[in-house]
Amino acid sequence: AVLAHVVASGAGFVEDLDESFKENRKDDIWLVDFYAPWCGHCKKLEPVWNEVGTEMRNMGSPVKVGKMDATSFSSIASEFGVRGYPTIKLLKGDLAYNYRGPRTKDDIIEFANRVAGPLIRPLPSQHMFEHVQKRHRVLFVYVGGESPLKEKYIEVASELIVYTYFFSASEDVLPEYVTLPELPAVMVFKDGTYFVYDEYEDGDLSSWINRERFQGYLHVDGFTLYELGDTGKLVAIAVIDDKNTSVEHTRLKSIIQEVARDYRDHFHRDFQFGHMDGNDYINSLLMDDLTIPTIVVLNTSNQQYFLPDRHIESTEDMVQFINNILDGTAEAQGGDGLLQRIKRIIYDAKSTIVSVFKSSPLLGCFLFGLPLGVISIMCYGICTADTEGEVFEHEGGAKKENGDRELTDEGSEEEQEEEKNGKYTELSDGELKQKDIMEKKKD
C-alpha cells in the first residue's frame, strides 16, 4: 500500500500533455517523455519517470516534467523529431535537446539540470573551482576575454551541452599547478590533470571536445561503447570478470590502465581504454566466443576488431600490439561488408530463437512450431493435389484414346442407326419392284 501511494504521488508531479502543449510550452522549460502505450521499454521507464517528477519538484527545479502519448499526438511528436519510444527531450525555448544516457533517475535529473542551466557557467573563485572539480570527472574551461575562440567555444557548448559541462574563468582562479602558454585558451580537466587545446595539433575545437569528454580509462558497457562511437577512436578493452580476483584478470586490467595513463601523449588521439565485465555483450557484437580474460580492440565506425596474435604479458606487449594496429600490420577481423551483414542476420535470428526457447520452451514451440506446421500442411496439400490431378488426366486420356478407337472401328451409334435405316430402305424398294413384276405377269 505504501509503495502504491508513493507511485501514485510521484505520478502526480508528471503532467499528461495533449495538443495544447505545443502552444503553451515556450514559457517554461520542459522535460518530456514521448512514449507509446504498447512499448515495453516505456512501461519500464514509467516508475523511474515518476521518481524524476517527484525529485525535480522537491528540489525546486524550474524544469517541469511531463509525458505525451506519441501515438495519440503523432503530429506533435513528429515535429519534435520523435522516431522511437521512449524518447526523452528537454525543451528550452525553440531548442530541443535529446537525452541519450542511461535511463536512471540520477542520470536523467543530472541531464535536466545541466541543460536547463546556463550554457557557460562562470567560476568566480578558486573555492568554486575546487568544488566543481570535485563534482565532475570531466569539465571544460574557457580562460580569457572576448575572442573568436570564445565565440567558437559557445557554439560548441550549445551542441554538446547534452554530454558535459562548460565553464569560464579568469586566469587567477585556476589552480597554481596550471600553466598556460597563451590566452585565450580552452582546457579540459580530467584524470587528475589538465590538457590545453591546440588548434594546430588537435584540429577543430568541436572534434577535440567530443574526443576529450570521456576519461582516459572507463568501465565500458554497451551504452558507453555506443557513445564512444561518436569520438572516432578505437577502443582497447580488457574483457574480464570483475568478480574474479585471479592474477590473470587483474593483470590485464592493470596493463590497460598503465597504457592509458603512461602513454596518453602517444595514443589519446586514436585510442580509448577501458575494461568490460563479462563477455556476453562482446560475443554478440563480434559474433564469436571470446574466452576471458582477453584483450580486444574495437573499431566502432566499421565494426572491425583486432585480437592480439600472442599472449599479452606486459605493458610493452600491449604497446607493440597498438603500434601494429596503427601501422596496419595487425590483421583486422569483422567489418561491415556484405558477407558480414548476412552473417549478422543469421546470427541474430539464431540468437533470438535460442533465447526464446531458453526462456520459455512452450512459447518457443508455439511461435515457431505452429507456423512451420501450417506451412508443412500447405506444402503437403499442394503436392498431393498435383499428384491426383496427374492421375486423373492419365486415366481420362486413356479413356479418350479407347473411345476414339471404338469410333474408328465401328462408328458411332447414330451412324450405325443410319446404316440400319439405309438397309431397311433398300430392301423395301426391292420388294416393291418385285411385286410390280409379279403383278405384270398376272396381267
Side-chain angles (χ1 to χ4, degrees):
V2 172
L3 180 61
H5 174 72
V6 171
V7 172
S9 62
F13 297 120
V14 177
E15 296 189 33
D16 280 308
L17 305 176
D18 54 25
E19 64 274 357
S20 62
F21 172 71
K22 181 180 176 181
E23 301 297 329
N24 301 332
R25 72 172 186 85
K26 292 188 178 181
D27 295 333
D28 298 294
I29 301 174
W30 282 91
L31 182 66
V32 182
D33 167 29
F34 293 90
Y35 70 95
W38 44 260
C39 171
H41 295 291
C42 300
K43 294 177 181 178
K44 186 177 180 180
L45 176 64
E46 185 175 3
V48 176
W49 199 249
N50 291 335
E51 292 178 4
V52 170
T54 302
E55 187 76 15
M56 297 292 282
R57 178 67 64 88
N58 291 340
M59 68 172 53
S61 172
V63 179
K64 292 186 175 182
V65 180
K67 61 180 181 178
M68 175 177 285
D69 183 350
T71 61
S72 298
F73 306 101
S74 57
S75 60
I76 299 177
S78 179
E79 288 185 24
F80 288 121
V82 176
R83 298 291 182 269
Y85 311 114
T87 294
I88 299 173
K89 288 179 176 285
L90 188 132
L91 308 175
K92 184 180 178 182
D94 293 328
L95 300 176
Y97 297 90
N98 287 327
Y99 176 69
R100 298 172 60 183
R103 291 168 187 160
T104 65
K105 181 193 73 171
D106 292 338
D107 287 305
I108 294 173
I109 290 175
E110 196 271 343
F111 160 81
N113 289 334
R114 180 174 68 248
V115 179
L119 193 62
I120 310 295
R121 301 167 187 251
L123 298 173
S125 65
Q126 286 187 353
H127 176 74
M128 180 62 71
F129 189 97
E130 293 173 359
H131 173 73
V132 169
Q133 200 170 11
K134 290 178 181 177
R135 287 191 58 192
H136 306 293
R137 296 176 179 177
V138 179
L139 65 145
F140 294 89
V141 182
Y142 173 83
V143 183
E146 298 297 326
S147 68
L149 181 60
K150 184 176 183 179
E151 294 177 1
K152 181 65 176 178
Y153 182 72
I154 295 173
E155 179 184 338
V156 174
S158 64
E159 176 188 355
L160 300 180
I161 188 66
V162 294
Y163 300 118
T164 188
Y165 285 89
F166 294 88
F167 298 90
S168 64
S170 58
E171 190 175 9
D172 57 352
V173 169
L174 301 177
E176 295 180 359
Y177 61 82
V178 174
T179 302
L180 293 176
E182 62 180 0
L183 292 177
V186 176
M187 315 166 62
V188 58
F189 289 83
K190 64 177 185 177
D191 302 329
T193 184
Y194 70 96
F195 307 96
V196 181
Y197 166 68
D198 186 321
E199 184 177 4
Y200 178 76
E201 293 186 356
D202 299 316
D204 180 65
L205 178 62
S206 177
S207 300
W208 179 77
I209 291 177
N210 195 41
R211 291 195 305 268
E212 296 292 340
R213 62 187 176 93
F214 295 98
Q215 292 177 278
Y217 182 88
L218 296 170
H219 181 184
V220 180
D221 55 16
F223 172 77
T224 307
L225 195 60
Y226 174 78
E227 287 294 299
L228 288 171
D230 294 338
T231 66
K233 292 183 178 182
L234 299 173
V235 187
I237 304 173
V239 186
I240 62 173
D241 183 356
D242 276 338
K243 297 179 181 178
N244 192 322
T245 57
S246 66
V247 175
E248 186 66 10
H249 286 258
T250 55
R251 184 178 62 82
L252 287 183
K253 182 178 178 181
S254 299
I255 288 175
I256 296 292
Q257 288 175 328
E258 290 174 10
V259 173
R261 181 186 66 244
D262 299 337
Y263 291 84
R264 175 195 152 82
D265 292 340
H266 296 85
F267 301 135
H268 80 278
R269 288 184 176 86
D270 301 302
F271 278 84
Q272 175 67 50
F273 299 92
H275 79 274
M276 179 174 285
D277 181 20
N279 61 347
D280 291 340
Y281 183 84
I282 205 74
N283 284 346
S284 64
L285 190 67
L286 305 185
M287 295 181 288
D288 198 358
D289 292 324
L290 295 183
T291 303
I292 58 175
T294 188
I295 288 176
V296 60
V297 175
L298 303 173
N299 186 339
T300 55
S301 63
N302 61 7
Q303 300 180 22
Q304 287 184 342
Y305 64 94
F306 303 85
L307 297 174
D309 55 0
R310 58 192 177 91
H311 197 59
I312 302 294
E313 296 286 349
S314 63
T315 302
E316 289 72 22
D317 290 340
M318 186 65 199
V319 171
Q320 182 61 48
F321 177 44
I322 292 175
N323 285 327
N324 290 342
I325 294 173
L326 291 176
D327 61 26
T329 58
E331 181 184 0
Q333 302 182 49
D336 55 0
L338 178 60
L339 292 178
Q340 284 298 122
R341 293 178 184 179
I342 296 173
K343 183 180 177 182
R344 168 61 63 185
I345 294 172
I346 297 173
Y347 180 86
D348 289 342
K350 179 181 176 182
S351 301
T352 302
I353 294 172
V354 170
S355 63
V356 169
F357 274 98
K358 281 185 177 180
S359 60
S360 178
L362 292 177
L363 178 62
C365 292
F366 177 78
L367 290 177
F368 300 104
L370 182 61
L372 289 175
V374 173
I375 294 173
S376 300
I377 293 172
M378 292 175 63
C379 292
Y380 175 78
I382 292 172
C383 294
T384 305
D386 289 341
T387 304
E388 291 177 352
E390 291 175 1
V391 172
F392 178 79
E393 290 177 1
H394 177 72
E395 292 178 350
K399 290 180 179 179
K400 184 176 180 181
E401 290 177 0
N402 292 335
D404 291 342
R405 198 161 42 244
E406 291 173 357
L407 291 176
T408 303
D409 295 339
E410 299 179 5
S412 65
E413 294 179 351
E414 294 178 356
E415 290 175 344
Q416 293 177 14
E417 186 67 26
E418 289 176 1
E419 187 176 349
K420 290 179 181 180
N421 294 336
K423 289 180 179 180
Y424 177 78
T425 304
E426 290 176 0
L427 292 174
S428 299
D429 292 337
E431 291 176 354
L432 290 174
K433 289 180 180 180
Q434 186 67 28
K435 186 177 181 180
D436 291 337
I437 293 172
M438 292 297 292
E439 288 178 353
K440 289 179 179 179
K441 286 182 177 181
K442 287 180 179 181
D443 295 335

